[in-house]
Amino acid sequence: MREGKSARRRRWLWRWRSNPLRRHDDIVEAWLVLGVWTLVVLGGAVAGLVTAHAADEVFARQRAERHPVRAVLLADTPASTLATWGRGDRAWATVRWTAPDGTTRTGRTLVGTDLAAGASVTIWQDQHGGLTDRPTGRTEASLEAGFVGAGAALALTGAVVGAGAVVRWRLDRRRIDEWGREWALVGPRWGHKTG
């Protein structure tokens, strides 16, 4: 079993060993592979954590700035229909509420269906008294921040791996061209060509 590990290690580190057949491009490719893996592991982790933290701060700020307030429905809302099904049995309606500065405001927002005019509903307002969406809850915000962070890490990983693949492709093309030039010099010395 030790021989298998040793052979794998030698095969994996072949670009780093001193070898008369090792080309400059092999050394460049070895450093490139090391750099790509370092950026994927460390950069992906940092990008994911920073992005998740930033998203969590945005959700926390929304929870701090948005407040529920009681409003009065100004018109009847329709009964639940297929048209409102996609919004969780909610319909657009005009409501009236009091802003933090004491002024009475009117606006349109989504409320429950099958409500009569004059019914009391809960709406969400921002710190200036404008209508806004309900803020994301703590658990949902943590999940969303995690997904956003994972997406950032995957995006960075894809960009780094893609850039590394392009550079390796260019190195391969250069090596193939060098082999072609060398063969053009050495090939005629091998004697009679067939074909």
Side-chain angles (χ1 to χ4, degrees), residues 107-120:
R108 289 182 57 79
T109 188
L110 284 171
V111 297
T113 56
D114 205 18
L115 296 173
S120 180

Side-chain angles (χ1 to χ4, degrees), residues 31 38-39 41 53 65-66 79 121 140 160 166:
W31 281 105
T38 302
L39 280 174
V41 172
H53 181 69
E65 293 174 351
R66 297 178 183 182
V121 293
E140 187 180 2
V160 168
V166 168

Side-chain angles (χ1 to χ4, degrees), residues 26-65:
D26 296 331
I27 298 168
V28 170
E29 186 175 18
W31 281 105
L32 174 71
V33 169
L34 180 64
V36 165
W37 278 105
T38 302
L39 280 174
V40 164
V41 172
L42 297 179
V46 169
L49 290 173
V50 167
T51 304
H53 181 69
D56 200 37
E57 284 181 351
V58 168
F59 292 133
R61 192 174 331 113
Q62 287 177 354
R63 284 191 301 275
E65 293 174 351

Side-chain angles (χ1 to χ4, degrees), residues 21-149:
L21 298 177
R22 183 179 66 180
R23 299 161 297 209
H24 175 71
D25 287 351
D26 296 331
I27 298 168
V28 170
E29 186 175 18
W31 281 105
L32 174 71
V33 169
L34 180 64
V36 165
W37 278 105
T38 302
L39 280 174
V40 164
V41 172
L42 297 179
V46 169
L49 290 173
V50 167
T51 304
H53 181 69
D56 200 37
E57 284 181 351
V58 168
F59 292 133
R61 192 174 331 113
Q62 287 177 354
R63 284 191 301 275
E65 293 174 351
R66 297 178 183 182
H67 304 287
V69 66
R70 299 303 291 170
V72 176
L73 194 60
L74 298 180
D76 295 347
T77 59
S80 180
T81 64
L82 288 177
T84 61
W85 175 78
R87 291 184 286 242
D89 289 337
R90 298 178 65 78
W92 285 100
T94 304
V95 295
R96 182 177 56 234
W97 73 99
T98 304
D101 62 3
T103 60
T104 302
R105 298 200 181 174
T106 304
R108 289 182 57 79
T109 188
L110 284 171
V111 297
T113 56
D114 205 18
L115 296 173
S120 180
V121 293
T122 301
I123 62 167
W124 289 85
Q125 66 179 349
D126 60 20
Q127 57 197 15
H128 305 293
L131 286 175
T132 187
D133 295 331
R134 181 179 159 279
T136 307
R138 289 184 194 280
T139 304
E140 187 180 2
S142 294
L143 285 173
E144 283 189 39
F147 282 124
V148 169

